[in-house]
Structure formats: structure tokens, C-alpha cells
Amino acid sequence: MKIWIDGQLVDKSEAKISVFDHGVLYGDGVFEGIRIYDGCIYRLEQHLDRLWSSAKYIKLTIPMTQEEMTRAIIETVRANGLRDGYIRLGVTRGIGDLGLNPNNCPSPTVFIIADQIRLFPQELYDNGIEVISAAVQRQPVSALNPRVKSCNYLNNILARIEANNAGAHEAIILDLRGFVVECTADNIFVVRRGVLTTPPVYLGALRGITRDAVIEIAREQGREVREEPFTLYEVYDADEVFVTGTAAELVPVVKVDGRTIGEGKPGPIFRHLLEEFRRRAPRDGVMIDS
Ligand code: PMP
């Protein structure tokens, strides 16, 4: 496997980051996870826009343009002979001293990994997953805004540990007032009487690329989609619940905190949306051959 790091494609065994990199010392950096569908880098522009927005928030200057980044990504995907896969992009503050001051880190580290995708088992799409609500809460937007896809994922990891302990696949994270925000690595939608609702990003949810695509598809299918706050009450009471994310695409949720959702099996709206999402994905992005 070839990894792109700071302008060079190197062997996986040589793709290393210094222990003085503030990405390692302080989680000071930002990242993206992107799918490749049949030679198409899914919504690359949106992913790069989000990466640049995340970097701006932490006052990190990415040392290349989006065009240069696009070329580097295509080069990496081609070098690994991938037509389907998963890309991980990372930009860290770079090498500094042991203090946290970013001013002492003169050049950011940029890396691109293009790997096989580990798909979720088909069984999860057919039968749905069980999720729990986590005790750990979403940090307020006045702290590190969770819209930033930063290398500080410990809050999400703590929620994920709760899901693991409960034998669940995902955990719903609530804000300090009890409004549902998102899951540990996915956004969430509830469906009630044909209307889709997902939490607004101002509550502190990542603006998922998959979330955006699902909203677009649902609206084109003539469905009402609301971005408004709701609580666990609306989740338990929903006809359908599903989560969305780059790796997951759309995954149906059939049980939340021990409550069966709807009829306890994936619902028709979820199935229509997943089918349409998958139909569009291989043409919705940057082709590696062009
Ligand atoms: N929320 C969080 C916290 C995430 O890390 C992710 C990405 N895995 C998502 C939502 C989904 O975003 P996307 O559809 O862009 O992958």
C-alpha cells in the first residue's frame, strides 16, 4: 500500500509521523473520510470544503490548494489500484515542541490513505441495528464545536464504549438539554407519518455529506424533511429511524434503549432512500480516470 505524506507517495511501512507532531501530542488536526464508488470519489468537493472549514476554525492553514489536494488524492487512489474503497485525509498542526502553542509548529503534516473499505455486513441492512442513548453528552458548540471534524474524537469514543458495553451498534448523543444531536460516527433521522426529521447542525452535529445527500434525495422524492430539534421521545415514537455516514451509507435502526422502533424491521422510506442513494453514488463525485 502506498501512502501520500507531505508531497510524496511512500510505502505503508515508511508512512510515519513524528511523536512531536501536535496531531499526536494534542489531537491538533482535522480529517475527512471519503468513499470511492466504482472509480468515483464521492462528493469530493464537499469533503474538501468541509476539511477547509474545519481547518479554518482551528486556524490551521492547509499548505496546498483544493485543486492540488484533488490531484494528490487521485494519484494516491490510482497508485493503490482502487476502484472502490475509503480515503482518509488528515492535516495536523505538524512538528512542534512539547508546549501546546501552535505558533511553534511551522509546517502542517498532510497525509492521504486510500484503502479497501470494510463494508458493514449485509445483515445489518436487512435486519437493522440496535442503538442506545449515551450518558456522555455532546460538548456545547461554545466549546470545540462538533461541526469541526477534528482529531479530537474522544467524546465520541466514550459514547462508542458505552455502545460496546451495551452490545449495541451505535450510540445516540444528546446535548446538555436532552436534544438528540447525532451518533458517534453517524447522523440520525427519524420518520413519523412520512415526514423525515434530523437534528439541525447548530445543536453541534457534524454536517454529514451523507446526511446532505439523503435530505436532497428525500426532497426530490417529494418528502418533507425538517431540520429541527427533537428528544428521545420522538425517537422511541418514530415509525422509522436510520443513521447515515460515509462508511454506513444508510443503516436502519430497529431498537433504541430497548424500545422497538415501528414494526421492528427496516421501513419502506429507509429502503427507498438507500436504493436511490446507492444508484446515484457512483456518478456523484470526481472520476479518477478523467
Ligand atoms: N457524525 C460524526 C460524528 C461523524 O464522525 C461522521 C462521519 N463518519 C458523520 C456524522 C457522518 O458524516 P458523513 O456522512 O460525512 O460521513
Side-chain angles (χ1 to χ4, degrees):
M1 185 196 292
K2 295 284 184 201
I3 312 287
W4 192 100
I5 182 160
D6 292 334
Q8 283 186 319
L9 272 176
V10 300
D11 227 59
K12 182 180 175 181
S13 58
E14 285 159 35
K16 293 191 175 139
I17 284 185
S18 165
V19 292
F20 288 94
D21 192 304
H22 280 206
V24 177
L25 286 176
Y26 294 110
D28 186 353
V30 291
F31 75 101
E32 277 297 320
I34 310 170
R35 272 295 269 273
I36 320 164
Y37 287 98
D38 194 21
C40 174
I41 305 174
Y42 185 68
R43 296 202 167 192
L44 180 58
E45 234 176 84
Q46 281 105 312
H47 279 285
L48 292 185
D49 283 347
R50 190 171 68 183
L51 183 74
W52 256 256
S53 299
S54 294
K56 183 167 193 184
Y57 184 93
I58 66 163
K59 209 166 178 293
L60 172 65
T61 305
I62 300 176
M64 56 203 294
T65 64
Q66 290 199 10
E67 290 71 34
E68 288 165 339
M69 182 74 91
T70 299
R71 280 198 292 277
I73 291 169
I74 292 174
E75 188 189 351
T76 312
V77 173
R78 283 191 189 149
N80 289 287
L82 293 165
R83 293 207 60 83
D84 289 275
Y86 181 85
I87 300 163
R88 171 57 55 94
L89 269 183
V91 185
T92 73
R93 192 74 65 179
I95 295 172
D97 57 22
L98 291 179
L100 61 73
N101 191 347
N103 289 347
N104 297 328
C105 305
S107 52
T109 303
V110 182
F111 62 86
I112 305 166
I113 305 168
D115 199 358
Q116 316 273 4
I117 173 121
R118 204 153 43 89
L119 293 173
F120 286 28
Q122 181 59 35
E123 196 255 327
L124 301 188
Y125 298 95
D126 294 340
N127 300 330
I129 60 170
E130 180 169 356
V131 310
I132 56 146
S133 55
V136 67
Q137 293 169 311
R138 184 38 106 207
Q139 65 270 36
V141 293
S142 53
L144 169 62
N145 192 316
R147 286 191 66 176
V148 178
K149 205 163 168 59
S150 84
C151 296
N152 264 282
Y153 251 50
L154 270 176
N155 201 60
N156 300 45
I157 290 166
L158 289 175
R160 177 68 216 202
I161 290 169
E162 290 186 51
N164 292 349
N165 287 344
H169 282 92
E170 250 293 15
I172 296 172
I173 304 175
L174 309 176
D175 75 359
L176 303 179
R177 295 164 302 176
F179 289 114
V180 169
V181 181
E182 59 177 339
C183 297
T184 68
D186 300 295
N187 293 111
I188 184 166
F189 286 78
V190 296
V191 184
R192 176 88 173 147
R193 301 214 167 95
V195 176
L196 285 85
T197 310
T198 192
V201 290
Y202 64 73
L203 288 185
L206 189 78
R207 184 169 165 194
I209 308 292
T210 321
R211 172 187 183 277
D212 275 358
V214 166
I215 291 173
E216 276 171 41
I217 292 169
R219 287 193 174 139
E220 279 175 37
Q221 290 180 339
R223 298 191 192 287
E224 188 179 340
V225 184
R226 298 183 187 153
E227 292 179 71
E228 59 186 41
F230 56 86
T231 67
L232 284 173
Y233 182 97
E234 286 76 25
V235 178
Y236 300 157
D237 212 29
D239 301 323
E240 296 184 33
V241 174
F242 60 87
V243 299
T244 65
T246 291
E249 301 179 315
L250 288 74
V251 172
V253 175
V254 293
K255 209 174 239 194
V256 180
D257 294 334
R259 278 79 162 176
T260 299
I261 302 303
E263 290 169 19
K265 55 184 202 290
I269 294 182
F270 153 77
R271 278 191 272 107
H272 280 136
L273 288 168
L274 177 61
E275 192 183 300
E276 186 57 17
F277 178 86
R278 286 184 170 162
R279 198 180 67 77
R280 294 182 184 196
R283 287 189 301 277
D284 191 357
V286 171
M287 306 305 294
I288 58 171
D289 297 327
S290 61

CSV table of all heavy atoms in Angstrom, one decimal, residues 128-129 131 172 183 187-192 230 234-243 251-256 261-262 265-267 270:
chain,number,residue,atom,x,y,z
A,128,GLY,N,-31.5,-4.4,10.5
A,128,GLY,CA,-31.5,-3.2,11.3
A,128,GLY,C,-30.5,-3.4,12.5
A,128,GLY,O,-30.1,-4.5,12.9
A,129,ILE,N,-30.2,-2.3,13.2
A,129,ILE,CA,-29.3,-2.3,14.3
A,129,ILE,C,-30.0,-1.8,15.6
A,129,ILE,O,-31.1,-1.2,15.5
A,129,ILE,CB,-28.0,-1.5,14.1
A,129,ILE,CG1,-28.4,0.0,13.8
A,129,ILE,CG2,-27.2,-2.0,12.9
A,129,ILE,CD1,-27.2,0.9,13.8
A,131,VAL,N,-29.5,0.5,18.9
A,131,VAL,CA,-28.6,1.6,19.4
A,131,VAL,C,-29.1,1.9,20.8
A,131,VAL,O,-30.2,1.6,21.2
A,131,VAL,CB,-28.6,2.8,18.5
A,131,VAL,CG1,-28.3,2.5,17.1
A,131,VAL,CG2,-29.9,3.6,18.6
A,172,ILE,N,-26.6,7.1,20.5
A,172,ILE,CA,-27.2,8.5,20.3
A,172,ILE,C,-26.6,9.4,21.3
A,172,ILE,O,-26.6,9.1,22.5
A,172,ILE,CB,-28.7,8.4,20.4
A,172,ILE,CG1,-29.3,7.5,19.2
A,172,ILE,CG2,-29.3,9.8,20.3
A,172,ILE,CD1,-30.8,7.3,19.4
A,183,CYS,N,-25.0,10.6,16.3
A,183,CYS,CA,-24.4,9.4,16.9
A,183,CYS,C,-22.9,9.5,16.9
A,183,CYS,O,-22.4,10.6,16.6
A,183,CYS,CB,-24.9,8.1,16.1
A,183,CYS,SG,-26.6,7.9,16.1
A,187,ASN,N,-24.9,10.5,11.4
A,187,ASN,CA,-26.0,11.4,11.7
A,187,ASN,C,-27.3,10.5,11.9
A,187,ASN,O,-27.3,9.3,11.6
A,187,ASN,CB,-26.3,12.4,10.6
A,187,ASN,CG,-25.1,13.4,10.5
A,187,ASN,OD1,-24.3,13.4,9.6
A,187,ASN,ND2,-25.0,14.3,11.5
A,188,ILE,N,-28.4,11.1,12.4
A,188,ILE,CA,-29.6,10.3,12.7
A,188,ILE,C,-30.8,11.0,12.1
A,188,ILE,O,-30.9,12.2,12.1
A,188,ILE,CB,-29.7,10.1,14.2
A,188,ILE,CG1,-30.9,9.2,14.5
A,188,ILE,CG2,-29.8,11.4,14.9
A,188,ILE,CD1,-31.0,8.7,15.9
A,189,PHE,N,-31.7,10.2,11.5
A,189,PHE,CA,-33.0,10.7,11.0
A,189,PHE,C,-34.1,9.9,11.7
A,189,PHE,O,-34.0,8.7,12.0
A,189,PHE,CB,-33.1,10.4,9.5
A,189,PHE,CG,-32.3,11.3,8.6
A,189,PHE,CD1,-30.9,11.1,8.5
A,189,PHE,CD2,-32.9,12.4,8.0
A,189,PHE,CE1,-30.2,11.9,7.7
A,189,PHE,CE2,-32.2,13.2,7.1
A,189,PHE,CZ,-30.8,13.0,7.0
A,190,VAL,N,-35.2,10.6,12.0
A,190,VAL,CA,-36.4,9.9,12.5
A,190,VAL,C,-37.5,10.1,11.4
A,190,VAL,O,-37.5,11.2,10.8
A,190,VAL,CB,-36.9,10.3,13.9
A,190,VAL,CG1,-35.9,9.9,14.9
A,190,VAL,CG2,-37.2,11.8,13.9
A,191,VAL,N,-38.4,9.2,11.2
A,191,VAL,CA,-39.5,9.3,10.3
A,191,VAL,C,-40.8,9.1,11.1
A,191,VAL,O,-40.9,8.1,11.8
A,191,VAL,CB,-39.4,8.3,9.2
A,191,VAL,CG1,-40.5,8.5,8.1
A,191,VAL,CG2,-38.1,8.3,8.5
A,192,ARG,N,-41.7,10.0,10.9
A,192,ARG,CA,-43.0,9.9,11.6
A,192,ARG,C,-44.1,10.4,10.6
A,192,ARG,O,-44.0,11.5,10.1
A,192,ARG,CB,-43.0,10.8,12.8
A,192,ARG,CG,-44.3,10.8,13.6
A,192,ARG,CD,-44.4,9.7,14.6
A,192,ARG,NE,-45.6,9.8,15.4
A,192,ARG,CZ,-46.3,8.8,15.9
A,192,ARG,NH1,-45.9,7.6,15.6
A,192,ARG,NH2,-47.4,9.0,16.6
A,230,PHE,N,-35.3,17.5,18.4
A,230,PHE,CA,-36.2,16.6,19.0
A,230,PHE,C,-35.5,15.8,20.1
A,230,PHE,O,-34.3,15.9,20.3
A,230,PHE,CB,-36.8,15.6,17.9
A,230,PHE,CG,-35.8,14.8,17.1
A,230,PHE,CD1,-35.3,13.6,17.6
A,230,PHE,CD2,-35.3,15.3,15.9
A,230,PHE,CE1,-34.4,12.9,16.8
A,230,PHE,CE2,-34.4,14.6,15.2
A,230,PHE,CZ,-33.9,13.4,15.6
A,234,GLU,N,-39.3,11.5,20.7
A,234,GLU,CA,-39.6,11.4,19.2
A,234,GLU,C,-38.9,10.2,18.6
A,234,GLU,O,-39.4,9.7,17.6
A,234,GLU,CB,-39.3,12.7,18.5
A,234,GLU,CG,-40.2,13.8,18.8
A,234,GLU,CD,-40.0,14.5,20.1
A,234,GLU,OE1,-38.9,14.4,20.7
A,234,GLU,OE2,-41.0,15.0,20.7
A,235,VAL,N,-37.7,9.8,19.2
A,235,VAL,CA,-37.0,8.7,18.6
A,235,VAL,C,-37.8,7.4,18.9
A,235,VAL,O,-38.1,6.6,18.0
A,235,VAL,CB,-35.6,8.6,19.2
A,235,VAL,CG1,-34.9,7.4,18.6
A,235,VAL,CG2,-34.8,9.8,18.9
A,236,TYR,N,-38.2,7.2,20.2
A,236,TYR,CA,-38.9,6.0,20.6
A,236,TYR,C,-40.2,5.9,19.8
A,236,TYR,O,-40.7,4.8,19.6
A,236,TYR,CB,-39.2,6.0,22.1
A,236,TYR,CG,-38.0,6.0,23.0
A,236,TYR,CD1,-38.1,6.5,24.3
A,236,TYR,CD2,-36.7,5.6,22.6
A,236,TYR,CE1,-37.0,6.6,25.2
A,236,TYR,CE2,-35.6,5.7,23.4
A,236,TYR,CZ,-35.8,6.2,24.7
A,236,TYR,OH,-34.7,6.2,25.6
A,237,ASP,N,-40.8,7.0,19.6
A,237,ASP,CA,-42.2,7.1,19.0
A,237,ASP,C,-42.2,7.1,17.5
A,237,ASP,O,-43.2,7.1,16.9
A,237,ASP,CB,-42.8,8.4,19.5
A,237,ASP,CG,-44.3,8.2,19.6
A,237,ASP,OD1,-44.8,7.1,19.9
A,237,ASP,OD2,-45.0,9.3,19.5
A,238,ALA,N,-41.0,7.0,16.9
A,238,ALA,CA,-40.9,7.1,15.4
A,238,ALA,C,-41.4,5.9,14.7
A,238,ALA,O,-41.4,4.8,15.3
A,238,ALA,CB,-39.4,7.4,15.0
A,239,ASP,N,-41.8,6.0,13.4
A,239,ASP,CA,-42.2,4.9,12.6
A,239,ASP,C,-40.9,4.2,12.1
A,239,ASP,O,-40.9,3.0,11.9
A,239,ASP,CB,-43.0,5.3,11.4
A,239,ASP,CG,-44.3,6.0,11.8
A,239,ASP,OD1,-44.9,5.5,12.9
A,239,ASP,OD2,-44.7,7.0,11.2
A,240,GLU,N,-39.9,5.0,11.8
A,240,GLU,CA,-38.6,4.6,11.3
A,240,GLU,C,-37.5,5.4,11.9
A,240,GLU,O,-37.7,6.6,12.1
A,240,GLU,CB,-38.5,4.6,9.7
A,240,GLU,CG,-39.5,3.8,9.0
A,240,GLU,CD,-39.2,3.9,7.5
A,240,GLU,OE1,-38.1,4.0,7.0
A,240,GLU,OE2,-40.2,3.8,6.7
A,241,VAL,N,-36.4,4.8,12.1
A,241,VAL,CA,-35.2,5.6,12.5
A,241,VAL,C,-34.0,5.0,11.6
A,241,VAL,O,-34.0,3.8,11.4
A,241,VAL,CB,-34.8,5.4,14.0
A,241,VAL,CG1,-33.5,6.0,14.3
A,241,VAL,CG2,-36.0,5.9,14.9
A,242,PHE,N,-33.2,5.9,11.1
A,242,PHE,CA,-32.0,5.3,10.5
A,242,PHE,C,-30.8,6.3,10.7
A,242,PHE,O,-31.0,7.5,11.0
A,242,PHE,CB,-32.2,5.0,9.0
A,242,PHE,CG,-32.6,6.2,8.1
A,242,PHE,CD1,-31.7,7.1,7.6
A,242,PHE,CD2,-34.0,6.5,7.9
A,242,PHE,CE1,-32.1,8.2,6.8
A,242,PHE,CE2,-34.4,7.6,7.1
A,242,PHE,CZ,-33.4,8.4,6.6
A,243,VAL,N,-29.6,5.8,10.5
A,243,VAL,CA,-28.4,6.6,10.7
A,243,VAL,C,-27.7,6.7,9.3
A,243,VAL,O,-27.9,5.8,8.5
A,243,VAL,CB,-27.5,6.1,11.8
A,243,VAL,CG1,-28.2,6.1,13.1
A,243,VAL,CG2,-26.9,4.7,11.5
A,251,VAL,N,-28.2,3.1,7.5
A,251,VAL,CA,-28.4,1.8,8.2
A,251,VAL,C,-29.7,2.0,9.1
A,251,VAL,O,-29.8,3.0,9.8
A,251,VAL,CB,-27.2,1.5,9.1
A,251,VAL,CG1,-27.5,0.3,10.0
A,251,VAL,CG2,-26.0,1.2,8.3
A,252,PRO,N,-30.6,1.0,9.0
A,252,PRO,CA,-31.9,1.1,9.7
A,252,PRO,C,-31.7,0.8,11.2
A,252,PRO,O,-30.9,-0.1,11.5
A,252,PRO,CB,-32.8,0.1,9.0
A,252,PRO,CG,-31.8,-0.9,8.5
A,252,PRO,CD,-30.6,-0.2,8.1
A,253,VAL,N,-32.4,1.5,12.0
A,253,VAL,CA,-32.3,1.2,13.5
A,253,VAL,C,-33.7,0.6,13.9
A,253,VAL,O,-34.7,1.2,13.6
A,253,VAL,CB,-32.1,2.6,14.3
A,253,VAL,CG1,-32.2,2.4,15.8
A,253,VAL,CG2,-30.8,3.2,13.8
A,254,VAL,N,-33.6,-0.5,14.6
A,254,VAL,CA,-34.9,-1.2,14.9
A,254,VAL,C,-35.1,-1.2,16.4
A,254,VAL,O,-36.2,-1.5,16.9
A,254,VAL,CB,-35.0,-2.6,14.3
A,254,VAL,CG1,-35.0,-2.5,12.8
A,254,VAL,CG2,-33.8,-3.5,14.8
A,255,LYS,N,-34.1,-0.8,17.2
A,255,LYS,CA,-34.3,-0.8,18.6
A,255,LYS,C,-33.5,0.3,19.2
A,255,LYS,O,-32.3,0.5,18.9
A,255,LYS,CB,-33.9,-2.2,19.2
A,255,LYS,CG,-34.7,-2.5,20.5
A,255,LYS,CD,-34.3,-3.9,21.0
A,255,LYS,CE,-35.6,-4.8,21.0
A,255,LYS,NZ,-35.3,-6.0,21.7
A,256,VAL,N,-34.1,1.1,20.1
A,256,VAL,CA,-33.4,2.2,20.8
A,256,VAL,C,-33.6,2.1,22.3
A,256,VAL,O,-34.8,2.1,22.7
A,256,VAL,CB,-33.8,3.6,20.3
A,256,VAL,CG1,-33.0,4.7,21.0
A,256,VAL,CG2,-33.6,3.7,18.8
A,261,ILE,N,-38.6,0.0,17.5
A,261,ILE,CA,-39.0,1.2,16.6
A,261,ILE,C,-39.9,0.6,15.5
A,261,ILE,O,-39.6,-0.3,14.8
A,261,ILE,CB,-37.7,1.8,15.9
A,261,ILE,CG1,-36.7,2.3,17.0
A,261,ILE,CG2,-38.1,2.9,15.0
A,261,ILE,CD1,-37.3,3.3,18.0
A,262,GLY,N,-41.1,1.3,15.4
A,262,GLY,CA,-42.1,0.9,14.4
A,262,GLY,C,-42.4,-0.6,14.5
A,262,GLY,O,-42.7,-1.0,15.6
A,265,LYS,N,-38.6,-3.7,12.1
A,265,LYS,CA,-37.8,-4.0,10.9
A,265,LYS,C,-37.6,-2.8,10.0
A,265,LYS,O,-38.3,-1.8,10.2
A,265,LYS,CB,-38.4,-5.2,10.2
A,265,LYS,CG,-39.9,-5.0,9.7
A,265,LYS,CD,-40.4,-6.3,9.1
A,265,LYS,CE,-41.5,-6.1,8.2
A,265,LYS,NZ,-42.8,-5.8,8.4
A,266,PRO,N,-36.6,-2.9,9.1
A,266,PRO,CA,-36.3,-1.7,8.3
A,266,PRO,C,-37.6,-1.2,7.6
A,266,PRO,O,-38.3,-2.1,7.0
A,266,PRO,CB,-35.3,-2.2,7.3
A,266,PRO,CG,-34.6,-3.4,8.0
A,266,PRO,CD,-35.7,-4.0,8.9
A,267,GLY,N,-37.8,0.1,7.5
A,267,GLY,CA,-39.0,0.6,7.0
A,267,GLY,C,-38.9,0.9,5.5
A,267,GLY,O,-37.8,1.0,4.9
A,270,PHE,N,-36.8,4.2,4.5
A,270,PHE,CA,-35.4,3.9,4.6
A,270,PHE,C,-35.0,3.1,3.3
A,270,PHE,O,-34.0,3.4,2.7
A,270,PHE,CB,-35.0,3.0,5.8
A,270,PHE,CG,-33.8,2.2,5.6
A,270,PHE,CD1,-32.6,2.7,5.7
A,270,PHE,CD2,-34.0,0.8,5.3
A,270,PHE,CE1,-31.4,1.9,5.4
A,270,PHE,CE2,-32.8,0.0,5.1
A,270,PHE,CZ,-31.6,0.6,5.1
